[in-house]
Amino acid sequence: MSRPEHLAPPEIFYNDDEARKYTQNSRMINIQLEMAERCMELLMLPEDEPCLLLDLGCGSGLSGSVAEDSGHIWFGMDISDSMLKVAKEREVEGDLLLGDIGDGVPFQPGTFDGAYSVSTLQWLCNADKSSHKPAKRLYTLFSTLLACLGRNARAVFQFYPENVHQTDLVVSQARKAGFFGGLLVDFPDSTKAKKYFLVLMTGGAMPMPPALGTENSQINYTSKREKMTKGRATKLVKKSREWILEKKERRRRQGRTTREDTKYTGRSRSGRF
């Protein structure tokens, strides 16, 4: 299945029909809301204090509704006129601006207390026109964004990189623009649940927030390699207690719901009732 950014530029891909899906497709709505909620967590905004936030690639305003529910005020910017029309029909509370974030964000210095973006940043990693240079457009975005953020503010981008080159490009241009922070990956061991977030900070380096699904992801890879070099003699017996525990541990690393281990785990059942 082709990635949307390979099919057409965003202002063309998100036409009237595609924009309608964001108000009718429950799966797309749930994913958008879930990612926006995670962005709000990573922004680490002060509790019980309304903040002014910038939503980059706001689309139909779904992510903005999460900011509203958290008691914040938001301003949305998007390149798709069709998506903004849907946002207006939904009567969202945030103000809206039609524009290309690759050309920079045109706001006064220190305007916003934070910024977030859901499923938008990967579009800037592709050149839709001969004049588009991904590195330059990313740098323009990050440098102008840094200028319009307040002191000690954060920016969080949830995005879908196509490869390692794109993650390296995004992180390098953000740091070149003057941001601190880096890449955070939730559920790194899961194919389906894995999500990428670019967490950017102003005013100095701070510890990165913890990723989800990593409680049991500190795997001893050295011991794994040692086991492999010893051959298959140590292969666990299928359905033994050790085999079951290892399988459950693997499911936890993938972010799946797994029952707690007990003294009965792996115990053979009697055939009697």
Side-chain angles (χ1 to χ4, degrees), residues 115-186:
Y116 60 93
S117 177
V118 176
S119 187
T120 298
L121 194 59
Q122 68 271 9
W123 288 90
L124 295 189
C125 295
N126 293 272
D128 298 319
K129 303 176 183 177
S130 58
S131 60
H132 283 183
K133 302 293 187 289
K136 183 178 179 180
R137 284 166 57 76
L138 284 166
Y139 177 78
T140 299
L141 165 64
F142 292 134
S143 58
T144 54
L145 175 61
L146 180 64
C148 74
L149 289 176
R151 184 177 298 178
N152 298 323
R154 292 189 176 202
V156 177
F157 293 79
Q158 181 274 323
F159 69 115
Y160 297 97
E162 186 174 3
N163 48 47
V164 176
H165 169 71
Q166 289 190 357
T167 56
D168 290 345
L169 176 65
V170 164
V171 173
S172 65
Q173 293 306 309
R175 289 177 176 168
K176 181 181 177 181
F179 276 110
F180 297 89
L183 193 68
L184 181 145
V185 184
D186 281 347

Side-chain angles (χ1 to χ4, degrees), residues 24-162:
Q24 299 171 354
N25 188 311
S26 59
R27 178 178 175 274
M28 295 175 70
I29 292 172
N30 290 335
I31 292 174
Q32 189 85 357
L33 294 176
E34 182 182 338
M35 294 301 98
E37 288 171 357
R38 179 60 172 148
C39 286
M40 290 296 129
E41 292 175 3
L42 295 173
L43 282 175
M44 299 183 70
L45 299 167
E47 295 183 8
D48 302 322
E49 183 179 327
C51 296
L52 179 59
L53 304 178
L54 176 60
D55 187 341
L56 296 163
C58 64
S60 61
L62 283 173
S63 49
S65 65
V66 175
E68 293 170 17
D69 293 341
S70 301
H72 303 301
I73 304 166
W74 63 280
F75 193 107
M77 184 174 176
D78 201 281
I79 196 174
S80 169
D81 187 49
S82 295
M83 293 293 274
L84 294 181
K85 285 179 180 176
V86 173
K88 291 177 182 177
E89 290 173 4
R90 295 181 61 242
E91 299 182 348
V92 298
E93 293 186 12
D95 291 326
L96 305 172
L97 173 67
L98 178 65
D100 182 357
I101 62 173
D103 293 334
V105 287
F107 301 102
Q108 294 293 321
T111 300
F112 297 100
D113 301 309
Y116 60 93
S117 177
V118 176
S119 187
T120 298
L121 194 59
Q122 68 271 9
W123 288 90
L124 295 189
C125 295
N126 293 272
D128 298 319
K129 303 176 183 177
S130 58
S131 60
H132 283 183
K133 302 293 187 289
K136 183 178 179 180
R137 284 166 57 76
L138 284 166
Y139 177 78
T140 299
L141 165 64
F142 292 134
S143 58
T144 54
L145 175 61
L146 180 64
C148 74
L149 289 176
R151 184 177 298 178
N152 298 323
R154 292 189 176 202
V156 177
F157 293 79
Q158 181 274 323
F159 69 115
Y160 297 97
E162 186 174 3

